[in-house]
């Protein structure tokens, strides 16, 4: 079963949303490789403009370019409404941090109360800090 997620990139150009069909949990490691939403954002950061330059549309494009690698080409795509994906378990909101030494990430997890779905903030901070804390919290098996 895939863990789906939506990524929203916010800046002066507006909000741009990307849906990713798999590995949307924040972080996981099996001792050999790492996966998860925070890693996918890091991959995009490597293709985007160097900070302090941050354009939400360009970062969203970098995210698609960095993460559209599976043989099934429909696994990463732009979407108009982040809340239209009823199967999304996580929602990431990415913007330029202040000061602009990194990107700021808010991570939300789906919460179901009966048939009502909401997203609860589970972590937020600079991308590098979140990755460091997740690597400490979830060491390789």
């Amino acid at each position: 079963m895939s863990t789906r997620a939506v990524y929203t990139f916010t800046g002066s150009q507006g909000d741009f949303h990307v849906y990713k069909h798999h590995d949307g949990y924040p972080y996981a490691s099996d001792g050999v490789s790492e996966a998860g939403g925070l890693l996918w954002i890091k991959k995009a950061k490597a293709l985007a403009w160097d900070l302090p330059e941050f354009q939400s549309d360009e970062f969203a494009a970098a995210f698609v370019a960095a993460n559209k690698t599976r043989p099934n080409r429909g696994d990463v795509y732009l979407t108009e409404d982040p809340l239209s994906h009823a199967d999304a378990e996580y929602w990431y909101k990415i913007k330029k941090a202040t000061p602009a030494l990194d990107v700021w990430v808010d991570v939300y997890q789906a919460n179901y109360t009966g048939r009502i779905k909401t997203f609860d903030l589970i972590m937020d901070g600079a991308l590098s800090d979140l990755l460091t804390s997740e690597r400490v919290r979830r060491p390789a098996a």
Side-chain angles (χ1 to χ4, degrees):
M1 180 123 192
S2 296
T3 305
R4 296 157 176 90
V6 175
Y7 301 78
T8 297
F9 302 90
T10 300
S12 60
Q13 297 76 23
D15 290 348
F16 294 85
H17 314 288
V18 178
Y19 174 83
K20 188 170 189 321
H21 187 74
H22 61 88
D23 298 333
Y25 43 80
Y27 178 80
S29 173
D30 63 7
V32 176
S33 62
E34 297 177 299
L38 297 173
L39 271 289
W40 311 148
I41 297 165
K42 182 179 178 185
K43 284 177 65 176
K45 187 178 170 188
L47 294 181
W49 286 104
D50 291 334
L51 294 168
E53 182 67 31
F54 181 89
Q55 296 177 10
S56 54
D57 54 352
E58 192 271 341
F59 207 104
F63 185 91
V64 172
N67 291 289
K68 199 169 186 65
T69 58
R70 291 179 41 160
N72 176 5
R73 300 295 186 234
D75 61 340
V76 180
Y77 56 84
L78 299 175
T79 186
E80 287 187 40
D81 179 5
L83 299 178
S84 68
H85 297 277
D87 58 354
E89 289 295 318
Y90 291 93
W91 185 7
Y92 296 82
K93 296 182 181 180
I94 301 98
K95 62 184 178 184
K96 180 170 61 173
T98 303
L101 305 175
D102 204 346
V103 293
W104 187 268
V105 182
D106 295 328
V107 183
Y108 296 85
Q109 186 172 22
N111 180 24
Y112 296 90
T113 305
R115 295 182 357 180
I116 305 297
K117 178 180 179 180
T118 59
F119 282 93
D120 297 334
L121 182 67
I122 60 168
M123 67 177 79
D124 63 334
L127 176 61
S128 57
D129 293 342
L130 292 176
L131 271 170
T132 298
S133 66
E134 286 297 293
R135 285 175 173 143
V136 168
R137 194 167 77 91
R138 301 173 189 264

